[in-house]
Structure formats: C-alpha cells, structure tokens
Amino acid sequence: MSRALRIATVRLADRGRRQRAAARHGPRWIVPLGAAGVILTAAVGLTVVTGVSALGVLSADLPDPDTLRHLAFAQPTIVTDRSGTVELGRFEQERRSVVRYEDIPSVVLDATTTAEDRSFWDNPGIDLANIVSAVAENAAGEGERGASTITQQLVRARLLPEEIVAPGSDRYLRKVKEILQSLRLTDTFPGADGKRRVITAYLNEIFYGHGAYGIAAAARIYFGKELDELTVAEAALLAGLPKSPTALDPYRFAKADDEGRLVVAAGTAPVERRDWVLQGLALGAQWTDLQPGELQAALDEPVVLAGDQPSTVRGGQFTWQVRRQLAAILGSDYDIETAGLRVVTTLDMRAQELAERWLTAAAIVPNLKRSTGDRILKDLKIGRSDRAWVRALRGKDIHNGALVAMDHRTGDVLAYVGSAGYARNDLASSEFEPKYDAAGDGARQPGSAFKPILYASAFDAERLTPGSLLLDITTEFDRRQDWAPRDADQLDRGPVLVRRALQYSLNIPAIRALERVGNETVADTAAAMGVHFTGGREAFLQAGLAGALGTVEVTPLDLTTAYATIANGGVRVEPRMIDRILGADGSVVWSAPKPAGDRAISAEAAWLVTDILQGNTDPKENPIWAEKLRLTNGPDGQYRPAAVKTGTTNDARDLGTYGFLPDQPDGGPGLTVGIWLGNSDHSYPRSRRPATSLTAAAPLWRAFVRDYTRDWPVTKFKRPGDVVSKRIDAWTGGRPGPWTRDTVNEWFIKGTQPGRRGAIDEDGLLYRRMCGGWRVDPLKAELGPRAWRADVQDWLARARRGTGVGGRLDARTAYFWGESSWGGQLAGACARPKPKPQPKPGPNPGPPSAPPGQPPGPPGGGGGGGGGGGGDPKPPPGGG
C-alpha cells in the first residue's frame, strides 16, 4: 500500500498547490467535520481505495478518541512533609508538572499556536493546505517538510497504536492514520471546549528538551519560573523549542557573562527561533496584541537561563525510606516514577530541621577548621553552653551521625536524618558518606543501649526485679576463651541491685542477668520489640553472654523502635513514614490505618524499665548521667521527666543515646528519640582519648529534645495498676532482716515483691552470720556456674584489704558512688581478741571489757583499711 500511496501523492501535487493558494485567501475552515472521509481522501490521495470502506479499514486499529478524556501523563510522585506543603523529594522518569487549562497564561497559548499551528483554533485537527503543500514539496525532492498541527502532534504522541509509531514502521501509513485520528479526535471533542482540551494535553505532553516534559517543567528548567511569571519573550522561546528540542536547547549555546549570568547570545538558533515566534505574535494572535514598542523590547530582552538546578531532596535518606514503604503499600499496582502520586508523610519539618541542625553541630563542625566551625555555629545560632560540648569533640575523629524521632503512640516518624549532611558532598570521605543511611541501613553495635531490652525481658520472665541482687565483680565467664570483660573504668563494686546496675550501665551485672534469663528469652523479647539482629536471631544466640553488652549489631531505627515500645507501655507500633497517598487527581489512594500495635512486653515491665531510666535524668538518683541528660525546659525552668540510656561500644566506634518522654495530654505526641554517632566506614576513632556516648551523643540528644519540646507541657510517666511498692533491704534487695543496715522503697510487678509466694527470694542472700554478727559474703549471691565462684572469692580477699586493690583480671576494688562500704564487714577469718593485761589492784580500775559477742571494730567498717579508688571515676563505669 505504501508504494501506491507514494504514486497517488505525486499525482496530487499540482492539485495541492492550487488548493493551498485558495486556502490562504479564503476561510481556514472550508470543509464540514462530518466530511472527514472526503478530506482524508483529498489530502493523501487515496485513489487506490474507495470511500467508507477504506476509512473503516484504516481506523480499525485506532484507539477510541474518547481516550483523551482520561489521558494520563507520566508525572513524578511527589513526597511532602506531614503538612502537605513542603516538598521533600520526587521520584520520576520524566520531569513534568501537569497543569490545567485555566492555569496556562494566554501568552503561552498564543506563542504555542503561533509557533506550531496558527490555524489551531479554527482547523478540524489538520491543516489541509499545509499537508498538500508538504506532500508536494517532499515528493518533488525539495526537502523534508512537516505539516503537523498541534492536534496531529498530540495524536502521534499518545493516540496511535505503538506499532504504528515504532522506529522502522511505514511512515506514510502512519501519516494517514495520524490524519484520520486527528479528524476523529476533533469530531469527538468539537468546539472551543474540545480545542482547550487538546492544547492542554499537548502542553502537558510535549518534550521541550533538557529533560523537560510539558510547558510547566520547561519554564522551571530554563528560567526557574512558574508559568504566570514568564515574560512574552520567554514564552516565545519555550514555544519554539518543540520543533527541535535537542538542536535548539538553549543551554547548548549559553555562556556566562561578566555578571555571572548564563546568557544565550543573539543570533544563535534558539534566539532566532524565539524572534520568529515574537514577530508572528505581532501579526496577530488570539489574545496577545504586541505593539511595535513591546515587540522591540521583547526582541531586545536577553535570554538569561536559570542554570541547571540539581535535584534537591530535602528529606534526605527519609525520602528513600518512604520509597521503600511506598512500594510495599502499593505493590505492582502503580509505577511510582510515572503515577503522579502525592505522598504526604509523617515528617515534622520543625523536628527535621532541628535534627539536621544539631547533627551538623556535633558531627560536621568539629571536623572543620576552628574559624569555619565557629562561623557555622554562629549561623546555626548555637548557644554558648552548647558550643562547649561541641568544641570538646574536636579531634575525636567522629565524622557522622544519625537521628530518628518517633511518636511512640502511632509509630509516626517525626524526624529522620540518616547522615549528618545529606547534601554535603564537599566533605565526603570514607568516614563521612553523606548519602549513606546509617539510621535505617547502618548495622551498628548498640553497646549498653541494649541493656534496657535485657532487663525488660528479665522482669517479664520474673527472673529478676529492680531490687534483685547482682555482683559487679570481674569474672572470667568463659575460661576457654579467656573472656573476662570489665566495666569501662575497670572497677569492681561488689554487690549492687538491678536498679543501680542499669542506671549506671554496669557491664558485669548485665552479663550475670543474661545468664539468669537466657539468650533465647531475650532474643524473643527483642524481636517482639522490633529489633532485627544482623545475622538474625541465631546471631544473638551464638553471641552467648556477650550479647548482654550489645555486641550484636542492629540499626538505630530498630533500636529506636524498641525504646518506643517501652515508652508505649510495652506495645510495639511499627514505625511508619507515610500518612496518606493521593492520586494524580487528588483522590485518596491509601490512608494509614489507626495503629493497633502488638504487645511485646507487659506494661508493668515497661514501666519498671522506664522508672529506672528516668533516674538517669535526675541528679538525686544519678548525678553523673543527669549532668548531661537533665531537661529543664519546662515552664520557669521546670524539670521535664525523661527516660534515657546511653551506649558506648568497647572500642568507642559507636556512640548512642536513646530515650523518651511521657505522653502529652489530649492525644499529643509521645516522643522517642534515638541518636548514633560514629564513622560511616565503621572505623575506629584515631584519638588518644576518644569520646564516649556521655560526652558526645548524650548532650546531642538533650539539645534536640530540649529545643523540640520547649513549648510542651510537663507530664509524668503513668504507672500501671499492677505495680506495687515494697520496703526492701538496701543491700540484699530482699525483706529486711536482722542483717539489715538500711532500707529503701522499690517497685515490683505485683506478685514478685519479696515475701510473696513464688517471688524471687533475695532474703539474706548477701549476709552470713559469723563472728558473732552478720558479715557480707558475696559467694552466697553468686548464682551462676560454679566456675565463677573463684573470681568472687578472689574479689572478697582483695576487698578485705580495702578499695583500689587490683587482681589478676586487671580490675580494682571500689565502693559504689556515695557509699563507704559493701554493706558491712566482709566475711573472713574472725579476729581473735588479744589477751588483756590484768589491772593492777588499786582504787581506780581500768575500763570494763566489751560485752561478749560484740564484733571488733566500728559497726560501719568496710572490712579493713586500704588505699583509695572509691571516688567517682572517669569515664563512667559501664559501657556508657
């Protein structure tokens, strides 16, 4: 057929020239729309077929023109903050912003029709005179000339079968079908409304070069403007580009002028094309009436381009985490890069900006020149007190950080910074990879920040209570491996209760706690709280007792989720980043359901851990940690309760601080925040005195939470009903007895308090009656394997000599902070009283001897003298 069409085309050449001349002087619209078949036959010379039957054959495989009514354009999916107003990023194959007809300025419409189809508003979808003229000139070998109207260009792009427009297809057959479909389209959508529909679709579909699809994207890419901000000259330049978008790309001809502007010089191809469009506008257009002076001003206007603007992602790594959740929600129902969705996330921009600000201060500023860093701190409006701890991080070789803030009631992620500076490519290094998502993808050792999960598991399993007795005595827990971990300050404090062991982050009691409750139970609890160990559950089981020290890697996002579970009364709510998804038409595609949550630990166990961790922000309970973590941003400097735990790995590669606040009243958010500091490549800090979580992550945590909650009301943690208070022995944790020297109040899950049937029996666990009184004997409190008793016995022998006494495992004896004994005299050989000389007879006899059975020495003695070492050591005792 194509050969026959070519022959027919040549035969019609002369007739076409005559018709073209007539069309120029007569009405533009001379054939009624119902005569589509006659027009088509005349236009392409279909003398090889006849009338209606030919039209039926040619239109058989054409899409229904009514498809235009529901035409969808490949649009980017746009991600916004929770308000829906701040764009965080977009996922796209084509840079396009779809606009409505009423949003298109008349000058853009006029410039477009002037450049591409001056008879657009009158023609039936084709320009018969131009078609015949083009056919004749091409057939005569006078060059390739196009004659497509705006309607034809739209049809070719969207309303023809794919095989017709594919490379290598018959171009003459394609032209016939293009003309026929254009006529059908105009018949389907007649009149002014139809024309508006067609030109709107065209302006949204057409390619303008330089990655710009559609007129709105072109205005932003070339001029950095919205459509209603374009000048006449700028509208004319854009209108001229679709003819040859690559060859006419203004950026190919642009050069920087003396003022640093990117200017396209006069006489270049895109400017000449613009001037041609402007002159056409001056001859008359539908709405635009360029007067001679206005025309000259437009011709003289320099073409100044906006310059290539790199694609910005304000949400950083959060936006890419949203991409993952989006794919999980939508499955294969949508092509995210082309669906034109609007994703309203949970991100609070105020929280996000504060997180970015403080991570910049903590992880970036200390690694810059002092003058540069000070200037940034000033720009960030960092106060004097905060500058002190930031400057103290200079030389500590910490280059990166991450922060996650969640509403633990709903799982909404309020802030998410995966690296200290997503856009800081100028500082990129192996230690600082700005695009690396350390929060969600970075597997890191949690260190002592894992201990709340361990103790929560122990409380729920009723293997320990906050008043249980544990030994802080360095022990060779695995003789085959020579594994004898120590507290960070290498001090042995002897018997301690669980509350103090957790608050002061003591390592050795944590190992004994894990031995009591078992790795399997703790692994199950961690999984229920949202923790996914690197290597899976088996990795934690294989870690053995070392798992108590947070040696098995997890992500900061997972660990924050676990803390949020504690904060939410033991109910885990999966972290969510998407609130709702809107379609291209604004309809709701998906909306986040009300979070139900899954119970991971009991409300009572969660509250006990919370109550212990709150002590880390109270100077009366833990002055060391409270110095860095106490919040006083309530009204008039009122103390704000917070439950917080730090974590420093043994080699100081990972520093973390995790914690939460009580729920706000009236449905306000419940805030949980997790922070990690370290290096992207997980390298060791090259510093003689590396930072700890207490000197780096803790003040960062406090700064962010303080600023974010400054205007919040002060609330308290709510105690569940099945928690009871009990007066216990301050040293054994059991019921007071004849050995009791002091008592304290402690909280217990109902039924686990000392004295109840089935409760953990701590009564008298620490004391042995000997030498006429009660002596401290830690061997009674060693409930682990028998092999551990040798090191407990060694500590006892050293402790009888006093504090500061070292042993074979490189740990020294010490009292707990503020104490002057280990609960009384230590067990050991009873002192034999020296023979007393008989008093000489006389009127003044000597003092009477001591009552029989009274132990020698002062009643509060610590079991012998000895050197120092009982003061507050630096760094903190445990893993931080």
Side-chain angles (χ1 to χ4, degrees), residues 655-813:
L655 313 177
T657 298
Y658 297 80
F660 48 89
L661 302 186
D663 291 355
Q664 292 297 294
D666 302 324
L671 181 66
T672 297
V673 178
I675 284 174
W676 167 85
L677 288 174
N679 291 322
S680 298
D681 61 0
H682 217 186
S683 59
Y684 298 96
R686 299 180 295 272
S687 174
R688 291 184 178 180
R689 300 185 64 183
T692 68
S693 58
L694 203 55
T695 60
L700 171 58
W701 188 94
R702 179 173 67 176
F704 170 80
V705 175
R706 176 198 65 206
D707 288 357
Y708 185 56
T709 64
R710 194 180 299 278
D711 299 325
W712 289 18
V714 172
T715 55
K716 296 181 179 180
F717 292 108
K718 295 180 179 179
R719 187 175 69 249
D722 283 341
V723 173
V724 296
S725 176
K726 181 76 173 179
R727 196 81 181 167
I728 62 172
D729 183 275
W731 290 96
T732 71
R735 289 178 300 181
W739 52 81
T740 297
R741 300 160 53 84
D742 194 9
T743 60
V744 294
N745 280 322
E746 187 53 88
W747 294 101
F748 298 88
I749 298 175
K750 190 174 182 179
T752 66
Q753 67 269 31
R756 292 296 297 265
R757 178 176 296 180
I760 302 168
D761 187 7
E762 312 279 4
D763 301 350
L765 190 63
L766 184 62
Y767 290 91
R768 182 184 301 276
R769 187 170 180 81
M770 59 186 302
C771 304
W774 293 95
R775 297 285 184 101
V776 174
D777 184 4
L779 284 170
K780 290 187 64 180
E782 180 54 87
L783 303 182
R786 189 172 185 82
W788 296 0
R789 295 172 63 86
D791 291 315
V792 178
Q793 182 68 56
D794 175 70
W795 176 87
L796 183 57
R798 289 184 288 121
R800 282 199 295 266
R801 294 160 53 194
T803 58
V805 180
R808 70 180 186 88
L809 297 179
D810 298 326
R812 295 173 290 118
T813 57

Side-chain angles (χ1 to χ4, degrees), residues 82 318 346-352 404-407 410-416 576 669-672 708 712:
R82 67 190 302 116
F318 174 80
T346 62
L347 198 74
D348 181 342
M349 278 310 296
R350 179 170 169 269
Q352 182 74 2
V404 178
M406 291 175 57
D407 180 346
T410 63
D412 287 355
V413 175
L414 304 173
Y416 186 101
R576 67 182 186 189
L671 181 66
T672 297
Y708 185 56
W712 289 18

Side-chain angles (χ1 to χ4, degrees), residues 79-88 343-347 349:
V79 180
T80 75
D81 72 333
R82 67 190 302 116
S83 72
T85 60
V86 179
E87 182 177 321
L88 303 177
V343 183
V344 181
T345 70
T346 62
L347 198 74
M349 278 310 296

Side-chain angles (χ1 to χ4, degrees), residues 33-34 36 124 182-190:
L33 290 178
S182 298
L183 293 166
R184 296 174 74 216
L185 184 65
T186 306
D187 276 339
T188 304
F189 298 100

Side-chain angles (χ1 to χ4, degrees), residues 211-556:
Y213 289 83
I215 187 67
R220 294 193 188 104
I221 288 174
Y222 290 113
F223 298 114
K225 294 183 176 182
E226 300 300 319
L227 287 180
D228 58 3
E229 298 172 329
L230 294 173
T231 67
V232 174
E234 290 167 342
L237 183 133
L238 295 180
L241 298 180
K243 177 184 179 182
S244 184
T246 301
L248 293 173
D249 184 346
Y251 281 104
R252 294 182 58 196
F253 304 91
K255 295 181 180 180
D257 66 3
D258 295 338
E259 301 176 19
R261 301 179 305 170
L262 203 58
V263 178
V264 183
T268 57
V271 176
E272 288 188 344
R273 174 76 172 164
R274 177 202 72 171
D275 294 348
W276 177 82
V277 175
L278 286 171
Q279 290 164 353
L281 282 172
L283 294 177
Q286 191 83 357
W287 295 280
T288 306
D289 183 17
L290 277 186
Q291 297 300 310
E294 295 171 323
L295 171 62
Q296 191 59 50
L299 293 169
D300 293 340
E301 182 179 307
V303 177
V304 181
L305 302 180
D308 282 330
Q309 303 296 318
S311 179
T312 58
V313 181
R314 289 193 65 181
Q317 292 88 356
F318 174 80
T319 304
W320 297 106
Q321 288 289 344
V322 166
R323 176 69 171 77
R324 295 180 185 178
Q325 290 199 4
L326 192 59
I329 292 170
L330 299 177
S332 59
D333 294 340
Y334 289 85
D335 183 344
I336 294 173
E337 280 75 20
T338 63
L341 303 173
R342 192 169 190 87
V343 183
V344 181
T345 70
T346 62
L347 198 74
D348 181 342
M349 278 310 296
R350 179 170 169 269
Q352 182 74 2
E353 289 169 354
L354 282 172
E356 292 172 355
R357 172 194 183 203
W358 282 110
L359 278 171
T360 297
I364 291 180
V365 167
N367 297 296
L368 302 175
K369 292 171 56 177
R370 178 69 177 262
S371 58
T372 303
D374 286 350
R375 185 171 63 252
I376 293 177
L377 290 177
K378 183 178 180 180
D379 292 341
L380 294 175
K381 299 180 180 179
I382 304 297
R384 181 173 299 177
S385 61
D386 287 306
R387 292 188 188 190
W389 65 262
V390 170
R391 286 171 176 159
L393 296 178
R394 295 186 65 81
K396 299 301 184 183
D397 202 28
I398 298 172
H399 296 266
N400 206 358
L403 184 151
V404 178
M406 291 175 57
D407 180 346
H408 51 247
R409 300 172 309 106
T410 63
D412 287 355
V413 175
L414 304 173
Y416 186 101
V417 183
S419 280
Y422 184 82
R424 293 303 301 263
N425 295 311
D426 57 315
L427 301 177
S429 66
S430 60
E431 294 89 358
F432 174 56
E433 297 178 12
K435 300 299 186 290
Y436 177 56
D437 186 355
D441 299 332
R444 296 290 184 256
Q445 290 186 357
S448 292
F450 183 77
K451 291 172 183 173
I453 300 174
L454 163 62
Y455 285 107
S457 179
F459 296 162
D460 247 355
E462 297 188 1
R463 302 307 300 271
L464 292 172
T465 72
S468 292
L469 175 64
L470 295 170
L471 296 180
D472 184 30
I473 295 175
T474 302
T475 302
E476 195 168 20
F477 293 108
D478 188 338
R479 294 185 181 276
R480 292 173 300 175
Q481 304 270 343
D482 294 329
W483 186 59
R486 293 172 290 278
D487 289 328
D489 54 14
Q490 297 187 332
L491 296 179
D492 287 341
R493 290 173 179 79
V496 295
L497 300 188
V498 163
R499 176 177 289 272
R500 282 180 155 186
L502 177 53
Q503 276 183 353
Y504 284 82
S505 199
L506 299 177
N507 289 335
I508 311 306
I511 295 171
R512 285 182 158 87
L514 180 56
E515 192 276 334
R516 295 246 193 123
V517 69
N519 282 64
E520 293 84 358
T521 300
V522 176
D524 292 343
T525 300
M529 295 172 74
V531 172
H532 303 84
F533 295 110
T534 300
R537 182 176 186 269
E538 190 63 27
F540 186 77
L541 300 182
Q542 291 177 355
L545 296 181
L549 307 183
T551 58
V552 186
E553 294 179 337
V554 301
T555 66

